[in-house]
Amino acid sequence: MSTAVRKYILPCAGYDRPGGNTSRRAAEKLASHHGDVTIGSMGALFTQRPGEMRELRSSRVICIDGCGTKCASVLADARGVKDALIISIPEVSSAVKGDQDKAQSVVDAVEAVFVREAAGEKQTQAPEEEAGPELLEETFDKFTLRVKGDLRYSDNDFWVSVENGNVRVGVSDFLQQMMSDVYYVRLAEVGTHIQMFDEAGAMESTKTLLEIIVPVSGTIVERNSKLEDSPELINEDPYGRGWLYVVNPDDITELELLKNASEYMTHALSKAKKEIGKKVKD
Amino acid sequence: MKKVVVPCSGIGKAFGAVSRETTHLLTQGMHSTDYRTVCLPLLMTDDTEARQVIEESEVYVVDGCPMKCASVVVKHAGGKPVMEIIVPKVLAVNKDHRPATVLDIGEGGRLLCEDIVRIIIERGGKDE
């Protein structure tokens, strides 16, 4: 398990500029070489999307500017990052020919800093993530697992919370990371009765089609119809606005069969390790 | 009136790659005489020249997700997009055209780009 600070690479998004393409290629290479690298989105940062801001605040920030306008570093600065590592493509790769070689020169420059900082020559700690005290967090390879402390969880990565005798159901942060971008959600109708671990609707993402497995028996009394127009809420806010159903339970004691946050964290870490192992074998 | 297509900045995401590839098809392919693009970050930093292009053009935005960052940026810069396309919503109509990965969107992703190009060219200005 790693406790190292994650890296947030913010490439220039200038699609129509040579520097933009070099910056994008370099970022994609770095992300493919390093499990702890996240590629930032200038658009998401500009609009201050919560998930993007969370990544920014909890990571070492590296801006790759494609031209002298330095939009990436200007934007990071405007979002409160004052200690970003700034790589300027004109400065790093102006003497290098060819798109691939230019991108590689940027990768080399960034990796050299990774090595230096890992050796403690210059260790800049990113500020702690602004997580609530109830949010448990562990990092393993590319996964940063966030488990909300006051919920219970099923083995197949759905959470439940009890609210006024009803049970709210949603997707864990680990599951939304595994699914990647959700673009379609089909929810069961209000009034549908389900048995514990029955399927009720489905979610489709860029990676997979997944059935919604409800971890409690009962009748659906509310469904999050906002997800039909905004399925991305599952990725943006899995423990909040991305909830799926509210169920009137047949037997509330069924929830005792589910895992508490600490047990689920162990379970999710084990799954994450298997996932990494599977990719290595592939 | 000039036609400008603006892709999303979602680097590292398959839908962002589809957005950029769609822009490439329109601005570098057989439609290059009709369409051009503009640097999205320059719109964020209020670059005068980029803003002028947006204000004086018919703008088509291709967003990689329903958060529509590119559309937000275009409007911030004073643009009034005639069409705001969300890539996964086009995919939801024809689910066979699914992009593979960000590094290679694959045949499905290429077909999805062609779907979006067709929507822009055939229904240009009529956002449905």
Side-chain angles (χ1 to χ4, degrees):
Chain A
M1 195 182 303
S2 164
T3 55
V5 175
R6 288 184 62 77
K7 285 108 178 171
Y8 176 96
I9 307 260
L10 186 62
C12 154
Y15 168 80
D16 62 330
R17 306 289 172 105
N21 280 328
T22 303
S23 169
R24 175 169 58 82
R25 281 199 184 97
E28 287 171 351
K29 275 190 174 194
L30 285 161
S32 68
H33 294 171
H34 302 271
D36 59 351
V37 163
T38 300
I39 302 180
S41 157
M42 289 194 66
L45 206 53
F46 183 80
T47 54
Q48 301 191 57
R49 282 166 64 172
E52 195 76 13
M53 293 302 289
R54 192 173 59 193
E55 288 286 353
L56 181 84
R57 288 173 181 151
S58 60
S59 306
R60 171 79 167 116
V61 178
I62 298 108
C63 300
I64 307 179
D65 285 313
C67 72
T69 313
K70 300 190 170 184
C71 299
S73 48
V74 166
L75 183 58
D77 182 77
R79 292 292 173 264
V81 178
K82 303 300 176 191
D83 62 348
L85 166 67
I86 296 167
I87 301 283
S88 163
I89 287 180
E91 286 171 22
V92 169
S93 65
S94 58
V96 181
K97 304 273 185 218
D99 292 344
Q100 292 296 340
D101 289 346
K102 277 182 185 287
Q104 189 57 49
S105 69
V106 174
V107 169
D108 293 343
V110 174
E111 286 182 334
V113 177
F114 285 176
V115 170
R116 253 196 346 257
E117 293 191 349
E121 186 180 321
K122 182 188 173 192
Q123 184 66 48
T124 307
Q125 290 291 332
E128 288 296 313
E129 181 176 1
E130 289 180 3
E134 77 282 12
L135 205 63
L136 313 180
E137 188 173 307
E138 295 275 2
T139 302
F140 173 73
D141 200 278
K142 70 175 182 176
F143 292 100
T144 297
L145 305 180
R146 298 179 185 92
V147 174
K148 200 155 181 255
D150 54 350
L151 307 177
R152 295 191 77 84
Y153 298 82
S154 67
D155 281 355
N156 38 20
D157 310 294
F158 291 85
W159 58 259
V160 296
S161 68
V162 179
E163 299 173 11
N164 302 320
N166 284 335
V167 177
R168 193 178 293 272
V169 179
V171 164
S172 76
D173 182 66
F174 171 64
L175 182 56
Q176 71 82 14
Q177 287 188 60
M178 292 288 287
M179 286 193 296
S180 191
D181 292 339
V182 178
Y183 62 81
Y184 176 72
V185 178
R186 177 172 55 78
L187 293 172
E189 296 296 327
V190 168
T192 304
H193 186 267
I194 58 240
Q195 293 297 325
M196 192 180 199
F197 301 130
D198 267 1
E199 299 163 16
M203 302 171 284
E204 194 156 359
S205 73
T206 48
K207 280 189 178 172
T208 187
L209 171 67
L210 198 74
E211 279 136 357
I212 297 169
I213 310 292
V214 180
V216 62
S217 306
T219 304
I220 295 173
V221 294
E222 203 179 337
R223 62 185 206 150
N224 188 358
S225 49
K226 281 185 184 169
L227 295 178
E228 287 163 1
D229 283 332
S230 302
E232 73 280 1
L233 290 176
I234 290 176
N235 299 112
E236 290 290 323
D237 192 9
Y239 296 124
R241 292 174 302 143
W243 64 276
L244 300 168
Y245 295 114
V246 175
V247 176
N248 181 236
D250 292 344
D251 177 6
I252 198 86
T253 62
E254 277 183 350
L255 301 188
E256 292 168 14
L257 299 171
L258 303 177
K259 289 180 162 56
N260 66 27
S262 170
E263 292 165 338
Y264 176 68
M265 177 63 91
T266 306
H267 174 75
L269 275 170
S270 163
K271 274 191 170 180
K273 285 173 187 169
K274 279 183 191 159
E275 178 66 19
I276 297 292
K278 202 165 70 183
K279 291 212 164 155
V280 169
K281 277 183 193 169
D282 290 347
Chain B
M1 200 174 207
K2 286 177 284 187
K3 293 178 179 177
V4 169
V5 55
V6 181
C8 129
S9 68
I11 296 167
K13 309 255 182 184
F15 288 156
V18 167
S19 163
R20 286 189 299 279
E21 183 58 27
T22 301
T23 304
H24 181 78
L25 285 177
L26 283 165
T27 59
Q28 306 293 320
M30 66 174 77
H31 310 288
S32 59
T33 51
D34 297 325
Y35 294 89
R36 59 174 293 195
T37 188
V38 68
C39 179
L40 189 69
L42 287 181
L43 297 177
M44 296 178 199
T45 52
D46 297 326
D47 179 83
T48 309
E49 194 181 328
R51 284 185 73 115
Q52 193 178 349
V53 170
I54 285 295
E55 284 168 6
E56 294 175 353
S57 306
E58 227 173 57
V59 183
Y60 299 82
V61 185
V62 185
D63 275 302
C65 79
M67 297 305 288
K68 298 176 73 170
C69 297
S71 294
V72 170
V73 173
V74 165
K75 288 170 190 168
H76 162 84
K80 292 176 183 153
V82 294
M83 191 175 255
E84 297 170 29
I85 292 178
I86 301 168
V87 173
K89 300 223 168 184
V90 179
L91 175 61
V93 175
N94 192 345
K95 292 181 184 166
D96 294 334
H97 296 181
R98 179 199 299 268
T101 67
V102 63
L103 294 177
D104 179 7
I105 59 174
E107 185 58 19
R110 282 186 279 279
L111 290 171
L112 183 58
C113 294
E114 288 171 13
D115 291 341
I116 300 169
V117 166
R118 207 172 302 119
I119 288 169
I120 289 176
I121 289 173
E122 291 177 3
R123 298 213 312 256
K126 294 176 192 164
D127 204 350
E128 292 172 9

